[in-house]
Amino acid sequence: MVTRACVVVLVLLAICCSPHSVAAADAKAPAKSTSSNIVDTAGPAELLNGNGDLLPTGACKADIKSFCDDTQAGEGRLAQCLTDRVRETKAGNKAGRKLSKKCTEDLAAFKIDRSSNINKDVPLARACKDDVSKWCQYASDTTAPGSVLACLRNKKNKMTAGCKKDIFRTQQEVTEDYRYDYKLYQKCRTDVANLCPDAELGQGEEVACLETKRRDVSWECQDQLFRADQEAGDDIRLSVRLFNKCLQDYRRFCRDVDPGHMRVQECLEDNMDQAKFSAGCKEELDNILAERVADFRLDTPLRDACETDIQDTCGSTLAEMDQNEKTKTTTLNCLQQYEDELKDTACKAEVHRRTARASRDIRFDELLAEACQDDRAKHCSDVSAGSARVIRCLQDHRSALAQTCTAALFDHEVRMAEDIDFKYPMKKACAWEMSSFCKDVPHGHARISRCLADNLENADMTDECKKQVQRDQNMMARDYRLNWRLDHACTGDISRLCPNLCPSGPGASCGGMVLQCLQDNQGNITDDACQEEVFYFELMEVQDFRNDVILAEACRDDVDLYCKGISPGNGRVHACLRDNMGKISKRCAKEELKLQAKEMSDIRLRPKLNRACSEEKAVYCDDVKPGRARVVQCLVENMAHPDFGQECLEELEKREDQVKNDYRMDVGVYANCESDVSAYCANERAMLRGNATVLKCLAANFKQLAEPCQAEMSRAVRVALWDYKPASALTADCDGDVAAKCPQGAHKRSGSPFTIGVVGRCLSKSLVQREHMSGKCRDLVLVAAPKDARGLFGEADSNSAIVEKLASLQSAAGLDRVLVDPYSSNTVTVTGWVAIACIISIVTVLVGSLFVLWRRMAAATGGVPGPAYAQLAVKSGDV
């Protein structure tokens, strides 16, 4: 009996303890109630199924057995395992069957319930407990379900690494199904049902659908959509649209960039112009950036990086910017204007990036987009946004734009003048040139733009880059404020020398008035950096006629008529206009001559001459400061050296030929003789034809000229005789004397110009030796003579004048004896007691000379110590 009873007991125990019996008992038994209160401020929560996980014997039993057999139930581990399986299957990384429909629904219900209270998500609560107490202590899921997690997402960049990781897990789930964001689900479920009935649940389609129908979405739902965008916008993995369209570009260009904090988006943005970058990704990326620009609250990187600088530099706060549109605009302008003064380097980088975006897409410049909305529709309706196309279109229609648009466009251009990064078309066109010519040049302060301009004539520069650089220079010439370097270097000098020259209306262009003023007052500019920038601008004018807006306007018709087929650059159009000087309009000729006179003041403004004489400058004029024709004058003074280069000599002679025929081309004469020209040569100035009319008039009135003008005229005539050419207008009066007195051997070769300096020496020798010369030539040589030498040979001290004066004195004294012969042409004849006086004087001079000679010889031999005599050097220089 005992044995049979034992067997029965064992059988019953085996039945009761079999796995199937246990499972059946568990299935029927009610779930154990377990409360979680890890984050006490959130309020306690009941864990689903008693352990905060899916029920292993529920709707997902088979799926758990198939996919998660080794996973221990509890704290959401089974739910995470099944979620990973869904993702891998969707990505094509796992073959086999999908989760059953009932299990998918059960998984969704679990996640929806879990999202209502952080304490239901045990791993999240544990990881973020301390962060909640620090950043979200006032949020409560009891009074407002889902509030604690919403707070954590909003401030996730401030959280610890472990908390961030679990926050990202919850956000990733929301991208797959909007219902896992408790607040978003509660506020938008009705809108989804009404507006997006065909959206498939669990595929991330609901939010995308609502975005496309934003105007019809309820205000409550829109609020939550904005919050979701704000929380997820800085990580590409959380943007379904961007991730789907940019996955291949991400793998190609940004594989090594860690997602989060907009790093991947910014990497993609930096590579948008790469040849293999997809159009779909570029479009989606631009759309998302446009949303961020339209609502500053979405620009998380800038908000995080610049919070301190917004307060310290611009005197504002993020809260004030969010509440007041004017404050936001003013503060963003402040950040851009004072970028160099911002303390945080991350803030500088974000501000710089924001400005760069505005340079390539009008949608990223709110003020410009709003001000030019009507003009864009009118003039650029068929132009797609991006690549600065719309901005360029507005610039091309500038004259037809409304005033508000014109002003906004000008302000935009001023802001973009500082960096190549803000000149999108030029940066794109000159990418190779920047890496080749300017690789060591830092960005900012228009340094790379200047480097590219310096290489404009480099044979390796592509035509597209050259075109963009020239356009940039043309833009600078339109208004000095668009020339960043000049504007900043010349602020003080402009205020002092050129005040109130620009029109006062908003966006009104100065039209070259200030630039012209600075050039006219170049001698009064006190800032060296300003001097340098004004000179560089003059160099731009010389190279391209379009950079002189006043000349370009005056010569518009003449260029079309006479120089239509000539491409601007390297002074080609200027050369064409000068070749046609007799045909072009008076207005154009006046401006061209003004520029030509400016070129004469600095050898660097004549690139061909500067290149031809580079070696001669280094040898003879290395210590001569450029400007006011000083270097050219130095070269002219050294032209006669046997080692002087032929190419430089020929270019100098071309320049001097211009100087000899027009007083305005001679910097010294033009600067010092203008009042004398007005006084003595006004008629000649009115008849200027490039034939030395004014110069000859000044020479004829030489004695009446002011001393500064006399000095410059003496130099000018001296150089003209030094570099003499037959039939030259200024020296034509000496052609006969040169032919008669100067040896034909002075020519370099038959029929060629005279050797430098030969004619000057020949004529000066004739003057000293009292040889017969024509009156006009003699007067011209006297003008050329140095001031101290001129008195020795002037008319008042000539032999004939002395004789005439002595004769008149003799007559007035009533002397009968002839002291002088007034009819002797070359000598003075003396008689009587005058002759005796002359003999005594000669004897006295001879005795004195012998005495001095004896003293010097005695001193040299050590006999009689002699006094220290000063040596008298008489220099007989060339004219």
Side-chain angles (χ1 to χ4, degrees):
M1 292 289 294
V2 175
T3 302
R4 291 180 67 184
C6 289
V7 171
V8 171
V9 170
L10 290 172
V11 171
L12 290 172
L13 286 173
I15 293 172
C16 292
C17 296
S18 69
H20 296 289
S21 299
V22 174
D26 288 344
K28 293 178 181 178
K32 184 180 178 181
S33 176
T34 303
S35 178
S36 170
N37 196 28
I38 298 172
V39 179
D40 54 3
T41 56
E46 294 296 323
L47 294 178
L48 193 63
N49 300 319
N51 62 357
D53 205 349
L54 292 172
L55 190 64
T57 57
C60 291
K61 176 182 176 180
D63 294 294
I64 291 172
K65 180 67 176 176
S66 298
F67 308 128
C68 308
D69 196 36
D70 297 331
T71 303
Q72 183 181 357
E75 298 183 3
R77 285 186 287 269
L78 291 176
Q80 188 62 46
C81 173
L82 292 176
T83 299
D84 292 341
R85 174 69 188 187
V86 172
R87 291 172 183 162
E88 290 173 350
T89 303
K90 187 181 294 186
N93 297 329
K94 292 287 185 181
R97 70 180 183 84
K98 300 179 180 179
L99 261 63
S100 65
K101 184 177 180 182
K102 286 187 177 181
C103 180
T104 302
E105 291 173 353
D106 197 35
L107 180 60
F110 168 78
K111 291 183 179 179
I112 292 170
D113 177 71
R114 186 174 64 174
S115 67
S116 64
N117 191 308
I118 189 174
N119 283 318
K120 291 185 177 184
D121 192 332
V122 176
L124 177 67
R126 284 203 189 107
C128 297
K129 179 181 178 180
D130 293 338
D131 294 283
V132 172
S133 64
K134 184 176 183 179
W135 301 105
C136 304
Q137 67 269 37
Y138 300 113
S140 171
D141 287 334
T142 302
T143 56
S147 295
V148 176
L149 181 53
C151 173
L152 291 174
R153 287 171 178 165
N154 186 45
K155 300 179 180 180
K156 66 180 178 182
N157 291 323
K158 299 178 180 179
M159 303 300 157
T160 57
C163 182
K164 280 183 181 178
K165 182 179 179 181
D166 272 288
I167 291 172
F168 175 77
R169 168 176 59 79
T170 67
Q171 289 182 301
Q172 194 173 24
E173 291 174 349
V174 174
T175 65
E176 298 162 347
D177 194 324
Y178 85 105
R179 295 175 296 175
Y180 304 156
D181 184 323
Y182 189 86
K183 290 177 174 288
L184 181 64
Y185 178 45
Q186 297 301 320
K187 298 297 183 183
C188 293
R189 60 198 302 182
T190 303
D191 292 278
V192 169
N194 294 334
L195 301 174
C196 307
D198 298 328
E200 186 178 352
L201 290 174
Q203 302 301 315
E205 296 179 3
E206 304 92 342
V207 173
C209 171
L210 291 176
E211 291 285 0
T212 62
K213 301 178 179 181
R214 199 101 182 203
R215 291 184 178 180
D216 300 320
V217 175
S218 65
W219 287 110
E220 294 83 358
C221 180
Q222 284 205 36
D223 225 26
Q224 291 303 315
L225 286 173
F226 171 79
R227 177 189 58 78
D229 284 344
Q230 190 177 30
E231 292 172 1
D234 66 343
D235 195 318
I236 189 174
R237 296 167 297 179
L238 302 178
S239 173
V240 177
R241 291 180 301 160
L242 188 62
F243 186 79
N244 290 339
K245 291 190 176 183
C246 295
L247 181 59
Q248 294 304 317
D249 298 285
Y250 166 59
R251 290 172 176 170
R252 180 177 292 120
F253 300 109
C254 308
R255 181 182 296 274
D256 298 328
V257 178
D258 293 330
H261 210 64
M262 288 297 293
R263 285 185 289 264
V264 173
Q265 288 93 318
E266 291 180 352
C267 171
L268 291 171
E269 186 180 3
D270 292 339
N271 287 279
M272 285 173 68
D273 293 323
Q274 297 291 336
K276 294 184 179 180
F277 200 92
S278 68
C281 178
K282 184 173 183 178
E283 181 182 7
E284 187 59 36
L285 188 59
D286 274 345
N287 289 337
I288 289 176
L289 291 173
E291 291 172 4
R292 286 176 55 190
V293 170
D295 196 323
F296 177 64
R297 294 172 296 176
L298 295 175
D299 198 340
T300 305
L302 190 142
R303 293 172 69 92
D304 290 346
C306 295
E307 185 172 5
T308 302
D309 279 301
I310 285 172
Q311 185 168 351
D312 294 347
T313 305
C314 302
S316 184
T317 65
L318 291 174
E320 291 170 346
M321 293 176 69
D322 291 341
Q323 294 167 5
N324 188 295
E325 184 69 19
K326 185 176 180 180
T327 301
K328 182 200 78 172
T329 302
T330 303
T331 304
L332 289 175
N333 286 339
C334 165
L335 291 173
Q336 291 176 327
Q337 183 176 356
Y338 297 102
E339 180 184 330
D340 287 342
E341 300 175 23
L342 299 178
K343 300 174 184 176
D344 195 304
T345 54
C347 180
K348 282 185 180 181
E350 288 301 326
V351 171
H352 189 89
R353 185 179 289 277
R354 185 182 181 93
T355 308
R357 289 189 191 117
S359 74
R360 67 178 175 82
D361 197 318
I362 191 172
R363 295 174 298 173
F364 303 156
D365 187 327
E366 290 181 273
L367 294 177
L368 181 63
E370 183 178 350
C372 295
Q373 185 174 359
D374 294 339
D375 287 291
R376 180 183 177 186
K378 183 177 180 180
H379 302 293
C380 311
S381 58
D382 57 342
V383 179
S384 58
S387 299
R389 286 184 290 265
V390 175
I391 297 171
R392 282 293 174 94
C393 174
L394 292 172
Q395 289 173 337
D396 293 340
H397 291 85
R398 190 186 304 272
S399 60
L401 301 179
Q403 185 178 8
T404 53
C405 179
T406 301
L409 182 60
F410 179 76
D411 290 341
H412 170 92
E413 291 165 340
V414 171
R415 290 201 313 275
M416 302 305 154
E418 191 262 342
D419 199 307
I420 186 72
D421 293 337
F422 309 152
K423 300 177 180 181
Y424 178 81
M426 186 162 78
K427 182 180 179 182
K428 182 179 178 182
C430 297
W432 179 84
E433 287 79 2
M434 287 168 59
S435 63
S436 299
F437 307 145
C438 313
K439 61 182 179 180
D440 297 325
V441 178
H443 285 234
H445 295 190
R447 285 183 284 253
I448 291 185
S449 298
R450 173 62 57 83
C451 171
L452 291 171
D454 289 341
N455 287 276
L456 197 54
E457 296 305 320
N458 192 307
D460 292 330
M461 180 174 278
T462 60
D463 291 340
E464 184 58 30
C465 178
K466 186 175 293 187
K467 178 181 177 182
Q468 293 299 331
V469 174
Q470 288 176 332
R471 179 184 174 112
D472 186 57
Q473 289 189 324
N474 298 161
M475 184 83 76
M476 290 184 205
R478 192 169 55 81
D479 193 299
Y480 79 96
R481 292 166 290 186
L482 300 177
N483 185 332
W484 191 93
R485 295 172 67 94
L486 186 145
D487 183 21
H488 283 70
C490 298
T491 301
D493 287 298
I494 290 173
S495 299
R496 183 170 54 86
L497 301 173
C498 311
N500 306 319
L501 288 182
C502 293
S504 57
S509 171
C510 292
M513 306 248 334
V514 171
L515 293 167
Q516 186 66 56
C517 170
L518 287 173
Q519 292 174 81
D520 293 342
N521 289 278
Q522 200 163 359
N524 299 318
I525 294 175
T526 56
D527 192 295
D528 291 341
C530 182
Q531 283 276 13
E532 183 179 339
E533 291 305 322
V534 171
F535 166 75
Y536 197 90
F537 178 73
E538 290 175 333
L539 194 59
M540 285 168 49
E541 290 181 315
V542 169
Q543 294 281 0
D544 191 333
F545 84 102
R546 296 170 298 182
N547 292 333
D548 186 335
V549 292
I550 297 174
L551 182 147
E553 179 62 28
C555 298
R556 184 194 306 273
D557 296 336
D558 298 284
V559 171
D560 289 340
L561 188 60
Y562 302 110
C563 311
K564 195 168 186 178
I566 297 176
S567 60
N570 206 22
R572 287 183 287 268
V573 174
H574 288 307
C576 170
L577 291 172
R578 291 168 191 178
D579 290 342
N580 291 278
M581 191 66 81
K583 303 176 185 177
I584 61 178
S585 64
K586 290 183 179 180
R587 186 179 170 211
C588 177
K590 177 183 177 182
E591 293 301 327
E592 193 60 55
L593 282 169
K594 185 187 295 185
L595 179 66
Q596 198 171 0
K598 193 184 302 176
E599 292 173 18
M600 295 296 178
S601 67
D602 197 316
I603 190 173
R604 295 171 297 174
L605 296 178
R606 294 177 68 91
K608 189 174 181 181
L609 174 63
N610 196 32
R611 285 193 297 270
C613 296
S614 57
E615 292 185 10
E616 287 74 12
K617 280 183 2 180
V619 173
Y620 303 112
C621 312
D622 190 45
D623 57 345
V624 178
K625 183 180 179 180
R628 299 189 180 179
R630 285 183 287 257
V631 174
V632 172
Q633 187 173 340
C634 168
L635 291 171
V636 170
E637 290 170 355
N638 288 278
M639 284 195 307
H641 281 82
D643 295 332
F644 205 87
Q646 185 63 28
E647 185 182 6
C648 177
L649 184 62
E650 290 175 358
E651 289 300 320
L652 274 176
E653 287 182 339
K654 289 178 185 176
R655 179 192 183 279
E656 291 308 302
D657 287 345
Q658 294 175 311
V659 171
K660 294 173 194 174
N661 286 300
D662 193 326
Y663 84 104
R664 295 169 299 182
M665 302 296 117
D666 189 310
V667 178
V669 173
Y670 188 54
N672 291 279
C673 295
E674 194 60 24
S675 59
D676 295 282
V677 171
S678 299
Y680 307 111
C681 307
N683 293 334
E684 286 77 5
R685 179 170 57 187
M687 297 185 296
L688 275 174
R689 292 292 184 273
N691 52 5
T693 309
V694 172
L695 288 170
K696 289 192 289 187
C697 171
L698 289 172
N701 292 275
F702 185 79
K703 293 179 180 179
Q704 284 75 41
L705 303 180
E707 189 171 336
C709 183
Q710 280 189 344
E712 292 300 331
M713 274 300 300
S714 178
R715 173 197 53 77
V717 176
R718 187 158 57 249
V719 170
L721 291 174
W722 177 263
D723 185 26
Y724 170 84
K725 289 183 178 65
S728 180
L730 181 58
T731 57
D733 289 331
C734 288
D735 285 353
D737 294 282
V738 171
K741 300 178 184 297
C742 301
Q744 292 302 306
H747 292 278
K748 293 178 182 175
R749 58 182 180 274
S750 179
S752 71
F754 282 86
T755 301
I756 297 296
V758 167
V759 169
R761 284 191 290 270
C762 170
L763 293 178
S764 62
K765 181 180 178 182
S766 297
L767 178 69
V768 171
Q769 294 179 349
R770 310 293 182 179
E771 295 179 3
H772 176 74
M773 297 173 66
S774 66
K776 289 185 177 180
C777 181
R778 186 176 185 280
D779 290 342
L780 198 63
V781 175
L782 283 173
V783 168
K787 182 179 179 181
D788 54 350
R790 196 179 304 132
L792 299 175
F793 303 105
E795 181 181 353
D797 296 319
S798 64
N799 289 344
S800 58
I802 293 173
V803 169
E804 288 175 4
K805 285 182 179 180
L806 286 174
S808 62
L809 288 172
Q810 172 183 280
S811 175
L815 299 174
D816 296 330
R817 304 284 302 270
V818 178
L819 301 179
V820 299
D821 182 1
Y823 303 102
S824 176
S825 59
N826 293 314
T827 61
V828 178
T829 303
V830 295
T831 60
W833 61 267
V834 176
I836 295 172
C838 289
I839 292 171
I840 294 172
S841 298
I842 292 172
V843 171
T844 302
V845 170
L846 287 174
V847 172
S849 298
L850 289 172
F851 177 74
V852 171
L853 180 61
W854 173 77
R855 290 289 300 270
R856 286 191 177 181
M857 291 179 64
T861 57
V864 181
Y869 286 99
Q871 184 178 5
L872 176 63
V874 180
K875 182 177 179 181
S876 179
D878 298 324
V879 175

